[in-house]
């Protein structure tokens, strides 16, 4: 009986610190681009590769973060982004386009620098009058991955059509340290024990009555 009381006391202590201990770390921005860097040179310094003829940095009143945005009329825009140390990876960006009939832009991610996995496709759509927001909660394959990357691929663009992007970012939550993860498991077990003890006391009270 004394041992059980001691366990209950420990549970009470753990329960009091449980909410703060288990609070998830705030997301951290791993990569972001508003396409303002070296925009006057029509350059994408944060990207691994792009088609210089079909992907451009454009000075436009539609720009949100500054004076420039990215514009695709085909081609590709690709970059590698290590997510080592982060999990729950989130890809976000704004986009808008002219009428897209046979034209299309595919958004894809890679987890191994080899295979591209499509997560969205923009085609057969009317022109946008305002910016649209895209948010993608990526699979666990993107977590803590030094070989992660994102790519935009344009196809079959007509002469006057385009697809534009702004305020692109990749974010994630820091991966918990092993000691923190162990403590979280311990606290979860302690909370279970506390609830089990409460049920046992309730049963005893009913029997006594």
């Amino acid at each position: 009986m004394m041992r059980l009381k001691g366990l209950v006391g420990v549970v009470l202590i753990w329960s009091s610190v449980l909410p703060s201990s288990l609070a998830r770390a705030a997301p951290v921005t791993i990569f972001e681009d508003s396409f303002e860097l070296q925009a006057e040179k029509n350059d994408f310094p944060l990207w691994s590769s792009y088609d210089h003829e079909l992907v451009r940095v454009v000075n436009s009143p539609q720009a949100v973060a500054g004076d420039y945005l990215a514009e695709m009329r085909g081609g590709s825009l690709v970059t590698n982004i290590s997510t080592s140390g982060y999990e729950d990876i989130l890809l976000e960006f704004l986009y808008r386009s002219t009428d897209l009939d046979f034209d299309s832009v595919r958004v894809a991610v890679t987890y191994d620098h080899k295979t591209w996995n499509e997560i969205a496709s923009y085609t057969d759509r009317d022109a946008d009058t305002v910016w649209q927001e895209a948010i993608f909660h990526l699979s666990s394959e993107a977590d803590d991955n030094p070989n992660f990357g994102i790519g935009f691929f344009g196809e079959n663009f007509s002469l006057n059509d385009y697809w534009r992007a702004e305020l692109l970012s990749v974010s994630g939550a820091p991966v918990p340290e092993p000691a923190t993860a162990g403590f979280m498991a311990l606290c979860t077990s302690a909370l279970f024990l506390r609830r089990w003890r409460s049920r046992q006391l309730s049963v005893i009270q009913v029997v006594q009555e």
Side-chain angles (χ1 to χ4, degrees), residues 93-96 122 125 128 130-134 163-165:
F93 56 85
L94 301 179
Y95 69 92
R96 63 191 302 167
Y122 302 101
R125 58 194 310 275
D128 297 304
V130 296
W131 286 101
Q132 308 297 315
E133 184 178 25
W163 186 87
R164 291 176 169 178

Side-chain angles (χ1 to χ4, degrees), residues 30-61:
I30 305 170
F31 174 91
E32 63 181 345
D33 197 357
S34 58
F35 307 104
E36 297 293 317
L37 295 176
Q38 300 187 26
E40 68 281 358
K41 298 181 180 179
N42 190 33
D43 195 11
F44 292 84
L46 301 181
W47 296 76
S48 308
S49 65
Y50 67 98
D51 189 315
H52 291 253
E53 296 297 324
L54 300 175
V55 181
R56 304 184 302 157
V57 180
V58 178
N59 188 315
S60 169

Side-chain angles (χ1 to χ4, degrees), residues 59-114:
N59 188 315
S60 169
Q62 292 182 355
V64 177
D67 299 319
Y68 296 88
L69 46 77
E71 180 180 277
M72 298 191 72
R73 294 175 181 263
S76 63
L77 181 63
V78 174
T79 192
N80 302 319
I81 306 168
S82 172
T83 61
S84 295
Y86 298 94
E87 61 183 7
D88 299 331
I89 306 302
L90 194 68
L91 168 63
E92 301 176 81
F93 56 85
L94 301 179
Y95 69 92
R96 63 191 302 167
S97 71
T98 55
D99 288 321
L100 298 181
D101 296 320
F102 300 104
D103 337 60
S104 69
V105 170
R106 296 184 301 111
V107 185
V109 297
T110 180
Y111 307 116
D112 57 9
H113 287 176
K114 298 177 183 178

Side-chain angles (χ1 to χ4, degrees), residues 115-184:
T115 304
W116 288 101
N117 306 275
E118 184 177 303
I119 59 174
S121 178
Y122 302 101
T123 187
D124 189 21
R125 58 194 310 275
D126 295 332
D128 297 304
T129 56
V130 296
W131 286 101
Q132 308 297 315
E133 184 178 25
I135 302 177
F136 301 97
H137 296 267
L138 303 181
S139 77
S140 59
E141 292 181 88
D143 295 351
D144 198 22
N145 188 341
N147 299 315
F148 176 72
I150 59 175
F152 297 83
F153 304 91
E155 299 173 347
N156 304 319
F157 268 72
S158 302
L159 181 62
N160 296 318
D161 289 341
Y162 61 74
W163 186 87
R164 291 176 169 178
E166 255 279 43
L167 294 179
L168 184 144
S169 69
V170 175
S171 60
V175 174
E177 295 293 331
T180 302
F183 180 70
M184 290 169 65

